[in-house]
Amino acid sequence: MSNAGNTVSAKDRVLIFDTTLRDGEQCPGATMTFEEKLEVADMLDAMGVDIIEAGFPIASEGDFEAVSAIASRIKRATVAGLARAISADIARAGEAVRHAARPRIHTFVSTSPIHLQHQMRKSEEEVLEIITKTVTQARNLVDDVEWSGMDATRTPIDYLCRAVETAIRAGATTINLPDTVGYATPDEYRAMFKAVRERVPNADKAIFSAHCHNDLGLAVANSLAAVEGGARQVECTINGIGERAGNAALEEIVMALRVRGDVMPYDTGIDATYLMRASKAVSSACSFPVQYNKAIVGRNAFAHESGIHQDGMLKHQQTYEIMTPASVGVTKTSLVMGKHSGRAAFRSKLSEMGYALGDNQLEDAFTRFKALADRKKHVYDEDIEALVDENLATAHDRVKLVSLTVIAGTRGPQRAMLKLDIDGRIVAEEAEGNGPIDAVFNAVKALVPHEAVLELYDVHAVTEGTDAQAEVTVRLGQNGAAVTGRGADPDTLVSSCKAYLAALNKLVARGSRVHAQAAE
C-alpha cells in the first residue's frame, strides 16, 4: 500500500507489530481458543502485518503450543514470543519460535524508579546487568531480538539512555519504549524518542518501536507522535483490544498514515481492504463486541444520519467522508441470498466476504443458512457473517444446544425446557426463573454446574426488521478471570442460551471449575 501523492522511500517504512494474540488477549474476557488464534494469525499474515507477537510461551502450556504452531505455519511475517528478563522465559520463547521462518524473541524489563523500587526491588546497576545477560542469551538463540524498557515514559531520560545503549550493545535489534500505563502526551512521547535516538551513540544499530496504552484515549495519537520522533515500528492490536482501556488500534494507525500521507509520509505495507474482515474475525474469536462509533471499523463509521451530512454526501461523497468504505473492506449490504440459493451460490458469497471454509465447515454453515433462510424473509451479508462466525467459534465446543422451549408472559414464574449435547450425550432439564432469561440460564446451570457470575448481558440486532437476528454477548467471571461468549439467532432467548454456553465452553476449555454432567 502506498500513500497517494507521496514518494515513499525505504527509510519511511513503518513496521506494524501486531500484539492482538498476546497483549490483546489479556483484555478481560477476550481469551481465544487454540484454533481461533491460528485463524487470527493467518488473517494478520494475509493483510501484511510485519511482526505477529503470538503469545507469552512461559505463561502456560497452551500459550507455548499456540506460539509454536503459529511459528511453524506463518511464512511471511516475523513471529515473536514474549519473555520476561528471566533465563527460563527466554529459553522457552526461543524454543517456541525456533521453527519460524523469521523468529524473534521479545524480552522486557522495568526501568522506571517506581517499578524498580516496588516491583523489581533492584538497583539501576543491577537492572543494567540483567539487560546485558538476558539480551545476550536471546541473541544467542535468534538473530532478531526486541528489548522493551517497561514504563519507559516514567523513566528518567539519562537512565533510559543507559539502558537502551546496554540493550543494543548486547545484541537487541529493536528497541521498544512503551507507554505502559497510558500516561504520556504526544509531545512528551515524541520528545522522548527524539532525545534517546540523539543521545544513545549506537542508536543507529536498532529500529525504535512505540507501544501505547489507551488509558487517557491517547494511544493512537502517541504512537503517531513516536513515528514523528523517529520510531519505525508501531505495536498495536486489532480493534484496540488489550489490558485496561486497550492498546493503539491497528486499523486507526494504518488509516491515519494512509489518509494523512501529506503530513505523515510513511508506508505500512498493510492491505487496508482486510481491516474490516480482521476486525470482525477478532471480535468473533474473543466474543468482544466493537463499539458502534469505533473509528474505521465501527458499524456507524460510514453511516450518515444528520440531514446536512446526507445532503452533502448525495452531492459529493468527499464532503463528509475522508476515505471510502471499500478502502477498508466494507461492502454494501446486499439481499442476494435466500432459501432457494444453492451451495455454489453460498460458497461464492462466502468467498466474496473473505471466508475460506473446509468442506465439513461449509456443509454445516450451509445447513444453518438454509434453516435461517426459512425463518427470515431477507438474509443480509451481516446475517451470514454472524452465522458463520458463530459456526467457527463453536466447532470445538463440548457443550452444544439441541433445543429450547420457554414459557413466558405476565403470569409467572417463567419456565425453560432445555436439551443439551454434552460430549455427545443428550441431556435435558427444566427450570423456573424470574423472567425467561433467568429461567434459561438456571436450566443451563442445572446441567453444567459452575460458580461463574454473570457480569455482562448485552443484546443488539444484527440487521433491521422485526425478524432480525439478535446477537447476544455474555461475560462470565470466576476467580478473578473473565470469559465472553456470543450467540446469534432470530429468537433472542435462543441466542442468549447460545452466548451463555459459548462462555461456559471457554471456561471448560480453560479447566475452570465447571462440570458438564449428564443429568438423567
Side-chain angles (χ1 to χ4, degrees):
M1 183 185 73
S2 61
N3 294 304
N6 291 288
T7 302
V8 180
S9 62
K11 65 182 176 62
D12 294 316
R13 180 76 154 79
V14 173
L15 302 174
I16 295 298
F17 176 113
D18 184 276
T19 184
T20 300
L21 297 172
R22 201 278 301 171
D23 207 347
E25 209 206 8
Q26 291 175 210
C27 179
T31 304
M32 300 179 215
T33 65
F34 178 82
E35 291 78 12
E36 287 166 344
K37 288 181 179 181
L38 298 186
E39 289 167 8
V40 170
D42 288 343
M43 176 73 70
L44 295 174
D45 195 39
M47 72 189 290
V49 165
D50 297 287
I51 304 99
I52 299 171
E53 186 165 55
F56 195 177
I58 198 74
S60 69
E61 186 61 30
D63 241 34
F64 176 84
E65 290 175 359
V67 175
S68 298
I70 291 168
S72 297
R73 71 193 278 140
I74 298 299
K75 302 306 179 190
R76 194 202 60 78
T78 294
V79 176
L82 185 69
R84 293 168 297 182
I86 298 172
S87 179
D89 277 40
I90 292 169
R92 192 68 166 158
E95 177 66 19
V97 301
R98 69 188 180 93
H99 293 300
R102 279 167 286 282
R104 174 182 292 190
I105 294 175
H106 178 195
T107 183
F108 68 95
V109 70
S110 295
T111 55
S112 69
I114 191 168
H115 278 217
L116 264 59
Q117 181 182 350
H118 298 289
Q119 185 175 7
M120 294 285 293
R121 296 182 180 176
K122 301 282 186 183
S123 69
E124 289 185 348
E125 295 303 321
E126 286 175 319
V127 170
L128 292 179
E129 291 176 7
I130 290 171
I131 293 171
T132 298
K133 178 183 176 182
T134 54
V135 172
T136 299
Q137 178 191 356
R139 187 58 190 266
N140 285 335
L141 295 174
V142 296
D143 292 333
D144 186 355
V145 175
E146 176 171 343
W147 175 82
S148 290
M150 190 158 69
D151 207 20
T153 51
R154 295 192 296 175
T155 301
I157 193 68
D158 289 343
Y159 182 64
L160 184 61
C161 287
R162 290 180 66 198
V164 169
E165 184 178 355
T166 300
I168 297 174
R169 192 186 309 120
T173 49
T174 299
I175 298 294
N176 179 38
L177 304 179
D179 185 23
T180 304
V181 294
Y183 179 73
T185 65
D187 283 346
E188 291 171 339
Y189 205 49
R190 180 190 303 108
M192 181 188 72
F193 276 90
K194 188 171 184 293
V196 171
R197 292 180 62 251
E198 287 175 349
R199 292 174 56 176
V200 172
N202 53 3
D204 61 323
K205 292 181 170 59
I207 293 172
F208 280 76
S209 179
H211 180 115
C212 298
H213 284 266
N214 206 39
D215 298 71
L216 294 177
L218 295 172
V220 170
N222 283 337
S223 299
L224 296 175
V227 172
E228 291 177 344
R232 288 297 178 266
Q233 176 178 289
V234 174
E235 308 193 2
C236 42
T237 61
I238 300 294
N239 297 334
I241 65 170
E243 286 193 274
R244 305 185 312 278
N247 292 44
L250 180 148
E251 60 276 3
E252 295 176 26
I253 297 288
V254 167
M255 293 310 293
L257 292 175
R258 176 170 174 165
V259 173
R260 293 312 312 272
D262 55 330
V263 293
M264 295 181 288
Y266 311 105
D267 178 46
T268 66
I270 296 289
D271 183 347
T273 60
Y274 276 85
L275 292 177
M276 181 59 76
R277 183 69 232 128
S279 171
K280 289 180 178 178
V282 170
S283 176
S284 172
C286 62
S287 299
F288 211 80
V290 177
Q291 66 191 68
Y292 285 4
N293 62 335
K294 167 78 173 64
I296 315 299
V297 293
R299 179 176 294 191
N300 292 349
F302 295 96
H304 301 270
E305 188 166 324
S306 161
I308 191 169
H309 282 221
Q310 290 176 344
D311 179 64
M313 285 290 291
L314 290 171
K315 292 173 179 173
H316 196 285
Q317 187 173 347
Q318 290 185 346
T319 53
Y320 288 100
E321 278 190 358
I322 59 174
M323 54 194 155
T324 65
S327 70
V328 297
V330 176
T331 56
K332 188 176 181 182
T333 296
S334 59
L335 299 171
V336 299
M337 301 300 292
K339 64 181 181 180
H340 299 298
S341 300
R343 281 178 182 77
F346 185 65
R347 185 192 292 272
S348 176
K349 168 56 72 175
L350 291 180
S351 177
E352 198 179 293
M353 295 168 65
Y355 290 104
L357 303 185
D359 291 340
N360 291 337
Q361 288 178 320
L362 177 71
E363 190 61 33
D364 194 14
F366 182 70
T367 300
R368 293 190 185 205
F369 160 71
K370 295 293 277 190
L372 179 63
D374 281 335
R375 300 171 66 187
K376 279 189 100 250
K377 185 177 181 181
H378 299 302
V379 179
Y380 296 85
D381 285 2
E382 292 90 339
D383 288 314
I384 296 174
E385 285 174 350
L387 179 150
V388 175
D389 287 343
E390 181 191 338
N391 187 41
L392 294 175
T394 61
H396 303 279
D397 285 354
R398 287 182 54 199
V399 184
K400 298 179 181 180
L401 175 64
V402 176
S403 67
L404 174 67
T405 302
V406 180
I407 299 173
T410 56
R411 293 184 180 181
Q414 286 69 35
R415 189 166 189 81
M417 288 144 279
L418 176 68
K419 283 187 180 180
L420 298 179
D421 179 333
I422 300 178
D423 293 329
R425 184 176 181 185
I426 305 300
V427 295
E429 183 62 70
E430 294 187 18
E432 294 182 347
N434 184 20
I437 301 296
D438 189 45
V440 171
F441 289 0
N442 286 342
V444 172
K445 193 168 184 178
L447 290 173
V448 189
H450 60 87
E451 299 171 4
V453 176
L454 180 64
E455 296 181 348
L456 172 73
Y457 174 79
D458 180 66
V459 184
H460 76 266
V462 173
T463 56
E464 73 268 13
T466 56
D467 64 348
Q469 287 197 91
E471 190 168 70
V472 175
T473 301
V474 164
R475 186 168 70 221
L476 299 178
Q478 183 174 305
N479 300 327
V483 293
T484 308
R486 197 157 59 175
D489 193 89
D491 188 317
T492 305
L493 298 175
V494 173
S495 58
S496 299
C497 187
K498 287 181 176 180
Y500 197 75
L501 289 174
L504 281 179
N505 273 294
K506 288 187 177 181
L507 285 178
V508 170
R510 291 175 58 174
S512 299
R513 294 179 62 191
V514 178
H515 308 287
Q517 64 182 30
E520 298 297 332

